[in-house]
Amino acid sequence: MTTVLIVDDQHLQRYGFRILLESVPETDVVGEAAHGAEAVRKAAELRPDVVLMDVRMPGMDGIEATRRIVASGGRSRILVLTTFDVDEYVHAALRAGASGFLLKDARPEELLAGIRAVAAGDAVIAPALTRRILDEYARYRPVRPGDPAEDPRLGTLTEREREILEAVGRGWTNGEIAAHFVLSESTVKTHVGRVLAKIGARDRVQAVIFAYDIGLARPHEG
């Protein structure tokens, strides 16, 4: 059972999400919040597995709420729901610690799968959307110049793990990585887990940001 907190300033939107989530046995809606401050309070009180977080809300927005929830060190993981496929706030949400992004017009099965993935510690951004989001991220926060090898965390990676990190930074799925390096998907998953642990990344999304920040991945790489 995955517990979920729904955060959105529109009552009808929250109602629609609740109806969907309560229609399946594997999710349990433990609460709702209409703005960021309420989301932070209820996340601390209810400790949901996943917070469905709207971005644009009056008062404290979803970005600041995400930052505070993640900084609290609690168990909750944030799945941001955005109206546009490239939102000017997405790069900020990445920095704040969001674990994934879905469009509000995603199909019900996509939302449910996204919640399951985030609860399991994975990211839920489709590769094409990952690339568009990260292009936008790079536009707002240009990659700093310099040799990626200067970052000491890279020195902890094996040659294969560094290759895996580069591939993750390009937005490749585990299946794409497995096909490229002629590995099984289970082996790739193991490598990704080790990379996350060594670089101190919370999840796959944060690994991508790390790759961008040190210059290991750049916009428009395929």
Side-chain angles (χ1 to χ4, degrees):
M1 178 71 71
T2 299
T3 55
V4 181
L5 172 66
I6 300 170
V7 183
D8 198 292
D9 63 330
Q10 297 184 23
H11 176 78
L12 189 58
Q13 188 79 68
R14 297 197 307 273
Y15 178 76
F17 287 137
R18 176 180 282 276
I19 292 297
L20 171 63
L21 297 181
E22 290 183 343
S23 71
V24 293
E26 64 265 28
T27 56
D28 178 25
V29 177
V30 294
E32 298 180 12
H35 52 77
E38 187 179 18
V40 173
R41 178 176 60 81
K42 288 197 172 181
E45 173 189 339
L46 301 171
R47 294 172 51 83
D49 297 314
V50 177
V51 179
L52 287 183
M53 182 72 74
D54 188 21
V55 173
R56 300 177 181 180
M57 296 180 290
M60 183 189 297
D61 64 17
I63 305 302
E64 181 60 25
T66 294
R67 184 178 296 110
R68 295 192 187 191
I69 292 171
V70 172
S72 73
R75 59 180 291 179
S76 302
R77 302 177 69 83
I78 313 300
L79 177 55
V80 171
L81 298 171
T82 160
T83 305
F84 306 104
D85 60 353
V86 177
D87 189 301
E88 64 265 31
Y89 295 118
V90 165
H91 74 288
L94 286 167
R95 299 300 304 175
S99 295
F101 298 86
L102 284 177
L103 302 181
K104 283 191 175 181
D105 62 358
R107 297 190 302 273
E109 59 269 24
E110 291 176 329
L111 177 59
L112 295 172
I115 290 171
R116 288 193 298 269
V118 167
D122 204 352
V124 298
I125 309 175
L129 183 55
T130 301
R131 292 166 186 143
R132 292 201 301 274
I133 285 175
L134 290 172
D135 285 350
E136 186 76 357
Y137 169 82
R139 184 170 73 85
Y140 278 91
R141 183 185 175 91
V143 176
R144 70 170 186 256
D147 183 356
E150 294 174 358
D151 192 294
R153 286 170 291 183
L154 282 182
T156 67
L157 302 181
T158 65
E159 182 178 352
R160 174 63 79 194
E161 288 167 350
R162 178 169 171 146
E163 291 173 338
I164 296 294
L165 175 59
E166 289 186 45
V168 169
R170 296 187 182 108
W172 292 6
T173 65
N174 284 354
E176 290 172 326
I177 296 172
H180 181 82
F181 292 109
V182 195
L183 300 170
S184 69
E185 287 199 39
S186 61
T187 297
V188 171
K189 187 173 182 179
T190 298
H191 280 310
V192 170
R194 289 174 179 165
V195 168
L196 296 182
K198 287 183 177 182
I199 66 175
R202 176 181 170 92
D203 52 35
R204 195 184 189 98
V205 173
Q206 295 304 303
V208 174
I209 292 303
F210 171 76
Y212 265 60
D213 277 348
I214 66 172
L216 198 62
R218 288 181 170 81
H220 309 302
E221 289 187 336

